[in-house]
Amino acid sequence: QVQVVESGGGLVQPGGSLRLSCAASGRMFSIYSMGWHRQAPGKQREFVAHISRESETIYADSVKGRFTISRYNANNTMYLQMNSLKPEDAAVYYCYATDSSTYWGQGTRVTVSS
């Protein structure tokens, strides 16, 4: 059974930084493409970033230049480094891992407020 677990959310001031982590287990980590979506209150879930098995990356325009997605296969973990955070980045962030199916985590909340 594949498990996807996020961590690292919390409260940060505008302009601050946070790093989210996502661990996937159940099969060889390296076979997964992975990424993040987020959902703010009252809004639809939206794509944030994606990293392929070959570490090719894609970002939403709204986070490009501020967020960096990376993966470290040796410890089965994927990261989202978020810098220059804005109030509009506040949301629950969901990690996914995908091979022939897509597996989602339970989400981790990011609050951006002074």
Side-chain angles (χ1 to χ4, degrees):
Q1 184 176 357
V2 179
Q3 286 190 314
V4 178
V5 180
E6 308 96 334
S7 61
L11 172 65
V12 63
Q13 292 185 341
S17 298
L18 274 179
R19 188 176 78 161
L20 305 183
S21 300
C22 175
S25 62
R27 297 181 64 186
M28 285 181 61
F29 180 81
S30 59
I31 72 171
Y32 298 126
S33 291
M34 301 187 72
W36 297 89
H37 283 208
R38 67 186 181 187
Q39 187 166 19
K43 295 188 177 182
Q44 289 188 329
R45 190 177 293 197
E46 64 176 1
F47 167 77
V48 176
H50 177 87
I51 186 165
S52 71
R53 291 176 293 180
E54 297 79 19
S55 294
E56 296 169 328
T57 58
I58 303 171
Y59 296 94
D61 287 343
S62 59
V63 306
K64 204 171 293 184
R66 300 186 298 121
F67 290 11
T68 302
I69 190 170
S70 61
R71 63 189 298 160
Y72 187 48
N73 291 343
N75 67 359
N76 295 348
T77 304
M78 182 262 292
Y79 303 97
L80 184 69
Q81 178 66 42
M82 306 186 295
N83 298 329
S84 302
L85 282 161
K86 304 175 181 180
E88 52 263 42
D89 294 317
V92 177
Y93 283 70
Y94 297 92
C95 171
Y96 65 86
T98 185
D99 48 20
S100 56
S101 299
T102 299
Y103 310 94
W104 291 91
Q106 293 299 305
T108 185
R109 184 174 299 278
V110 173
T111 303
V112 184
S113 175
S114 55

